[in-house]
Amino acid sequence: MRTVTGRTDHVVVVGAGLSGLACALHLLGAGRRVTVVERDAAPGGRAGRMRLGAYRLDTGPTVLTMPQLLDEAFAAVGDSLHQRVELVALHPAYRACFADGTSLDVHTDSEAMEAEVRRFAGPAEAAGYRRLRTWLERLYRAQMHRFIDTNFDSPFQLLHPDLARLAALGGFGRLDARIGRFLSDSRLRRVFSFQALYAGVAPARALAAYAVIAYMDTVAGVWFPKGGMYALPRAMAEAAAGVGADLRWSAEASTLERSAGRVTAVRLTSGERIACDAVVLTCELPTAHRLLGRAPRRPVRLRHSPSAVVLHAGTDRTWPGLAHHTLSFGTAWERTFDEITRSGRLMSDPSLLISRPTAHDATLAPPGRHLHYVLAPCPNTTVGPSAAAWRDLGPRYRDSLVAELERRGLEGFADSVDEETLVTPLDWTARGHAAGSPFSVSHTFAQTGPFRPRNLVRGLDNVVLAGCGTTPGVGVPTVLLSGKLAAARVTGGAADISRRTSRCRPASAVAAVPSVPSSAGSDDPS
């Protein structure tokens, strides 16, 4: 594995999102001095916090899987995720509601899910689910350590027996077709293939290997952190500060000073100069390229994932048919994917994710009130309406979205809302997200694994990238891994592990750090 050359005693991490904080913890555990600079007034990045009246909203991801990757980052500094954050396992992980009026609770426990599939679609589909679950587990084992949790220096690293195992499992076929080998019910197939949208590809065109995301969602388990998803970056920042990290809020990097092929300092917009031995850039790819002064040459332009419209609504009631996470599927399926990924039209028959965080933490809303987060995938600004067009389009789309929710059983939704905010591609663009998409670069074959933008920067010996725009990709688990992989580029990875406890106090000695803000309006993407 290639690593940063020369001294790496002091590392500046630009960005305090999940990848930057994970990177910082792994660097601290390896004995490095770390300064984190964050343009916002609080940690979190995409996983930020916004106040809407007396409501506290998560501005980014709402689904937590693979919490062991978080705990790995805390453990690097002798700390523990479970000592800092209370996690609630969600049962069901999702509730899937279909246009024909049927619904299915998606359980990660195998016995419970087999029984639910049998109730929903009969014994043959229940047997198919059992075979599918075994395949998902095998697919995960074939990919995780060799192709996801790894630093690629060359495509030739793919030439390993695990590649043959992945091929034998059908990982290079199409996702939708492969799921169809196990399940004939079209509704069930949606439950195990909609995750391809996270990777920015329609299930009919996605590699079957991306079913590893379905493994995380439907086999490995789904959790909710008390305090909302923002509790995670807040706890990570507190742990980092507790072992000596210098955390700078409202500190935006403006330029990188260079000498002899190395970055020697990070300058902030305030004019402050922070000398360093290495830099990890976790900001958006366009921002990273601006700081670097150039974008890497690629034979084909990067393609970005679809975007999303998110309606955050504080309401005076909720609906018994909603689980913590509810998937509301329309009748159309292939057509809607074509609309948002190719033709650039808004979904004519949308499939929606509705999250209700107050189902497991009532303190996120005033007494007797509820929070609802409604996510509607939409085209990014490259293939669909421009960012500016959403100034007029946004309010109209909000009204059509609310009307659709009422048609699907949330009667009285419009009248129940006492606080709301709408986030559209216009807002994602204002946050610096390329193509107005919070889901970054899509996972086409040419943008996956060793073909994804690499985390080492050509021409600079001491700069590393992390975040969803680089390896391994989009999503909370992979972003956490990107931080760990970036730290390994700096420290040399396992070879440096003997130093991990040299600077770290035990978890029992680490208290909450007042310098970490509990929430910040500046994290509001709207």
Side-chain angles (χ1 to χ4, degrees), residues 217-518:
D217 267 6
T218 66
V219 176
V222 176
W223 280 262
F224 173 72
K226 285 293 187 73
M229 291 291 283
Y230 180 72
L232 302 175
R234 175 172 166 78
M236 296 170 79
E238 289 175 347
V243 291
D246 181 8
L247 306 178
R248 311 282 190 91
W249 312 122
S250 301
E252 184 173 2
S254 62
T255 55
L256 305 177
E257 291 187 8
R258 312 174 198 203
S259 176
R262 296 178 70 84
V263 169
T264 56
V266 176
R267 280 201 177 271
L268 307 181
T269 54
S270 64
E272 181 182 1
R273 178 182 184 273
I274 304 174
C276 59
D277 300 309
V279 176
V280 179
L281 300 176
T282 76
C283 41
E284 306 303 324
L285 275 182
T287 302
H289 295 158
R290 176 180 59 77
L291 290 170
L292 293 168
R294 60 181 174 84
R297 294 179 180 174
R298 292 179 64 91
V300 180
R301 286 180 59 189
L302 289 172
R303 289 178 55 187
H304 290 82
S305 297
S307 185
V309 172
V310 178
L311 174 63
H312 298 274
T315 64
D316 62 13
R317 61 167 293 192
T318 189
W319 291 263
L322 294 177
H324 188 110
H325 296 301
T326 300
L327 298 164
S328 177
F329 291 106
T331 302
W333 186 239
E334 290 84 1
R335 185 180 78 232
T336 56
F337 279 106
D338 184 75
E339 287 169 343
I340 62 175
T341 63
R342 289 186 170 183
S343 64
R345 296 192 300 269
L346 297 177
M347 290 185 293
S348 55
D349 185 18
S351 291
L352 309 171
L353 170 64
I354 306 166
S355 290
R356 187 166 59 100
T358 43
H360 287 91
D361 190 349
T363 67
L364 296 172
R369 296 294 194 267
H370 307 269
L371 265 177
H372 297 88
Y373 164 109
V374 183
L375 183 147
C378 72
N380 65 41
T381 57
T382 300
V383 300
S386 68
W390 279 96
R391 287 192 178 90
D392 296 324
L393 180 58
R396 298 199 305 273
Y397 190 65
R398 177 266 180 206
D399 291 344
S400 67
L401 193 57
V402 168
E404 187 64 31
L405 291 171
E406 297 210 357
R407 280 194 294 272
R408 296 186 185 187
L410 274 62
E411 296 92 348
F413 187 92
D415 292 336
S416 75
V417 175
D418 58 23
E419 296 279 2
E420 69 174 275
T421 189
L422 187 75
V423 184
T424 74
L426 173 64
D427 306 300
W428 303 126
T429 299
R431 291 285 293 174
H433 301 313
S437 172
F439 305 115
S440 192
V441 178
S442 65
H443 284 261
T444 60
F445 179 78
Q447 296 178 171
T448 296
F451 310 113
R452 197 165 180 82
R454 296 191 186 181
N455 59 2
L456 282 180
V457 176
R458 288 186 189 276
L460 289 170
D461 296 335
N462 63 342
V463 179
V464 186
L465 303 182
C468 57
T470 185
T471 187
V474 179
V476 172
T478 40
V479 162
L480 292 168
L481 286 173
S482 81
K484 183 181 83 166
L485 295 173
R489 291 289 197 186
V490 175
T491 66
D496 204 72
I497 200 167
S498 62
R499 299 179 58 191
R500 285 201 165 197
T501 59
S502 63
R503 289 172 45 82
C504 302
R505 301 201 301 273
S508 59
V510 181
V513 179
S515 62
V516 179
S518 61

Side-chain angles (χ1 to χ4, degrees), residues 61-343:
T62 62
V63 179
L64 175 62
T65 61
M66 309 293 285
Q68 65 267 30
L69 298 176
L70 273 163
D71 202 40
E72 185 180 7
F74 282 97
V77 295
D79 210 322
S80 166
L81 166 66
H82 300 283
Q83 289 184 16
R84 289 191 173 272
V85 181
E86 180 183 353
L87 297 184
V88 179
L90 297 185
H91 304 294
Y94 297 93
R95 177 165 294 148
C97 298
F98 301 94
D100 63 2
T102 59
S103 65
L104 170 82
D105 281 352
V106 180
H107 298 281
T108 53
D109 175 78
S110 60
E111 298 297 330
M113 187 60 182
E114 183 178 2
E116 179 69 352
V117 172
R118 183 177 291 108
R119 175 200 68 78
F120 181 78
E125 294 297 89
Y129 160 73
R130 273 289 189 186
R131 295 193 303 274
L132 171 62
R133 186 182 178 98
T134 298
W135 178 73
L136 290 172
E137 290 170 342
R138 294 174 64 196
L139 192 74
Y140 172 79
R141 289 194 297 270
Q143 289 189 77
M144 184 60 178
H145 296 296
R146 180 61 52 185
F147 304 119
I148 300 174
D149 187 8
T150 192
N151 272 313
F152 282 100
D153 292 325
S154 165
F156 292 110
Q157 283 179 246
L158 292 172
L159 302 178
H160 185 275
D162 281 343
L163 185 68
R165 295 186 186 99
L166 183 58
L169 288 167
F172 298 108
R174 295 302 175 191
L175 175 62
D176 196 43
R178 178 58 58 169
I179 298 295
R181 292 193 175 196
F182 301 99
L183 301 170
S184 60
D185 189 294
S186 62
R187 299 165 300 174
L188 288 175
R189 291 203 301 270
R190 293 186 189 188
V191 168
F192 292 95
S193 63
F194 81 91
Q195 297 88 352
L197 190 60
Y198 298 158
V201 187
R205 299 198 303 275
L207 291 177
Y210 294 140
V212 70
I213 312 174
Y215 167 86
M216 296 176 185
D217 267 6
T218 66
V219 176
V222 176
W223 280 262
F224 173 72
K226 285 293 187 73
M229 291 291 283
Y230 180 72
L232 302 175
R234 175 172 166 78
M236 296 170 79
E238 289 175 347
V243 291
D246 181 8
L247 306 178
R248 311 282 190 91
W249 312 122
S250 301
E252 184 173 2
S254 62
T255 55
L256 305 177
E257 291 187 8
R258 312 174 198 203
S259 176
R262 296 178 70 84
V263 169
T264 56
V266 176
R267 280 201 177 271
L268 307 181
T269 54
S270 64
E272 181 182 1
R273 178 182 184 273
I274 304 174
C276 59
D277 300 309
V279 176
V280 179
L281 300 176
T282 76
C283 41
E284 306 303 324
L285 275 182
T287 302
H289 295 158
R290 176 180 59 77
L291 290 170
L292 293 168
R294 60 181 174 84
R297 294 179 180 174
R298 292 179 64 91
V300 180
R301 286 180 59 189
L302 289 172
R303 289 178 55 187
H304 290 82
S305 297
S307 185
V309 172
V310 178
L311 174 63
H312 298 274
T315 64
D316 62 13
R317 61 167 293 192
T318 189
W319 291 263
L322 294 177
H324 188 110
H325 296 301
T326 300
L327 298 164
S328 177
F329 291 106
T331 302
W333 186 239
E334 290 84 1
R335 185 180 78 232
T336 56
F337 279 106
D338 184 75
E339 287 169 343
I340 62 175
T341 63
R342 289 186 170 183
S343 64

